[in-house]
Structures are given as structure tokens and as C-alpha cells.
Amino acid sequence: KVSLDEYLSDLLADEEEAANNPEWMAGEKETFRAVYDTNGDGFMDIQELKEYLLPNDVSHFKDMASSMVKAADWNRDGILSQEEILANPQIFVGNHYIKTSHTEL
């Protein structure tokens, strides 16, 4: 099982400056709860991991995209501006979402 703290620790190993970004941390916590911990027990268990890595549908890709938009959309208008994208390269380049998507394709 993987706890929320373990999940965040793993992410922070690659995104050190993100630890000081409360919006990023809140977004990642929400992603863990909404996408990975589908049974709500506070952990990502082996079944949840399998469902995430080998999905029967593509809804989790939509969840990942939504989480990325939410993390970068500072003015909360639901639309990413060029400025918001360029100000947040850590979300779009070398991000765990991107790494995961490439390994699943």
C-alpha cells in the first residue's frame, strides 16, 4: 500500500520547489484522493494501482488532464493562458503525469 505521505514524498523527490507551493500540494492531495485512492481508505492498494496503470477506459487520462489544468489555472477560469502554461513548466514538462502517460501508451 502507498499512503498519501509516501505518494507526496515520491513526487517531491523530483519537484523540490513544489513543497513550498500550497496550491500544488493541495492539487496533488486531491489527485491522490480522486484518482488513486478510489476506495477512500487513505492508501493506494495493489488493485487501485493496477486499475490506474492498466485502465479499462480512458477516464483517468481525463482526470490527469483536469488535475494538470487545475494546478496551473491560477485565475480559476477553467482555461489555461499562455502565461499560466509558461509559468508552470514543472506541471507540463517532466511531470509524473507526462511520464505515466508515455509509459501507458
Side-chain angles (χ1 to χ4, degrees):
K1 289 185 172 185
V2 177
S3 70
L4 174 60
D5 288 339
E6 291 168 324
Y7 168 76
L8 291 173
S9 293
D10 183 58
L11 293 179
L12 291 172
D14 293 331
E15 305 285 342
E16 293 176 24
E17 66 276 358
N20 297 320
N21 183 337
E23 290 177 7
W24 183 88
M25 292 291 284
E28 290 304 326
K29 287 178 182 180
E30 179 58 30
T31 296
F32 181 84
R33 292 180 184 113
V35 177
Y36 305 118
D37 180 22
T38 57
N39 68 8
D41 70 352
F43 295 92
M44 179 172 39
D45 62 32
I46 191 71
Q47 185 60 38
E48 290 165 325
L49 182 60
K50 284 180 185 177
E51 290 172 10
Y52 173 72
L53 293 175
L54 304 167
N56 292 328
D57 62 46
V58 295
S59 65
H60 84 284
F61 289 111
K62 292 178 183 177
D63 291 338
M64 285 190 297
S66 176
S67 293
M68 291 171 71
V69 169
K70 189 182 294 184
D73 186 17
W74 290 347
N75 64 5
R76 302 292 184 239
D77 66 355
I79 301 169
L80 290 180
S81 67
Q82 182 177 5
E83 292 80 18
E84 289 169 326
I85 294 169
L86 294 175
N88 293 287
Q90 73 282 0
I91 294 172
F92 303 102
V93 179
N95 184 288
H96 72 280
Y97 296 116
I98 303 300
K99 291 174 192 172
T100 302
S101 296
H102 283 256
T103 59
E104 290 179 354
L105 296 178

